Amino acid sequence: MTLMAVGLAGCLALSAADAGEIYKWTDEQGRTHYSDQPPPESQKNVERRDLPSEPNSEPPKSEPESPECQLARKNLKVFEGNPVVLMDTNNDGTNERLEGEELQRYADRARQQIDSFCGNKPADEPAPAQEQG
């Protein structure tokens, strides 16, 4: 009979843990405790919460950005973050100085590339600047 009572108590404890019950209480020293087991009966102000038995599904993972999208974001940061940019615009090995309206045109082009390659998604984090040239 005693063995049956112990077994029944064990099953109840396991089912409570499976159901996702959690207890919170503060002891005499002011320490807060959390447990899936009930606190001693002498504890007062015990909070019991039912948690879902199955964890919530993970938030959808965002797809990694394409290399083209990443480069367009980096370029825009460079074009917007500097008053003058040196860049080899015609692939002859010589850097030309971009500033003012010309620099603004390159920034606009980078924005268009972001719209095209990134699908108008905002950047999760600002990309580090990549020097051109």
Side-chain angles (χ1 to χ4, degrees):
M1 182 79 170
T2 306
L3 185 57
M4 184 188 293
V6 171
L8 181 60
C11 288
L12 289 175
L14 287 175
S15 67
D18 285 343
E21 293 177 342
I22 188 128
Y23 298 88
K24 175 185 174 188
W25 73 95
T26 304
D27 66 16
E28 294 79 24
Q29 288 78 29
R31 292 179 293 213
T32 302
H33 298 266
Y34 296 90
S35 176
D36 60 351
Q37 301 296 315
E41 289 184 21
S42 62
Q43 294 299 320
K44 296 180 181 180
N45 297 327
V46 175
E47 292 180 39
R48 180 181 159 264
R49 296 190 182 166
D50 291 324
L51 300 175
S53 58
E54 292 187 25
N56 293 337
S57 62
E58 293 181 18
K61 295 181 180 178
S62 60
E63 295 179 20
E65 292 182 337
S66 69
E68 296 85 0
C69 174
Q70 292 174 6
L71 181 59
R73 288 191 194 280
K74 289 176 184 178
N75 287 342
L76 180 60
K77 187 168 183 170
V78 169
F79 296 139
E80 287 184 332
N82 297 291
V84 176
V85 173
L86 298 177
M87 189 169 96
D88 182 3
T89 58
N90 56 11
N91 294 323
D92 67 354
T94 305
N95 287 333
E96 287 83 25
R97 184 180 176 106
L98 302 178
E99 57 189 324
E101 289 181 19
E102 189 174 21
L103 185 57
Q104 185 61 45
R105 280 195 300 274
Y106 276 91
D108 291 342
R109 182 172 176 217
R111 283 188 205 90
Q112 290 172 350
Q113 290 172 336
I114 289 170
D115 288 345
S116 175
F117 296 130
C118 305
N120 276 332
K121 294 189 307 185
D124 292 335
E125 296 180 12
Q130 178 179 350
E131 293 186 25
Q132 300 291 318

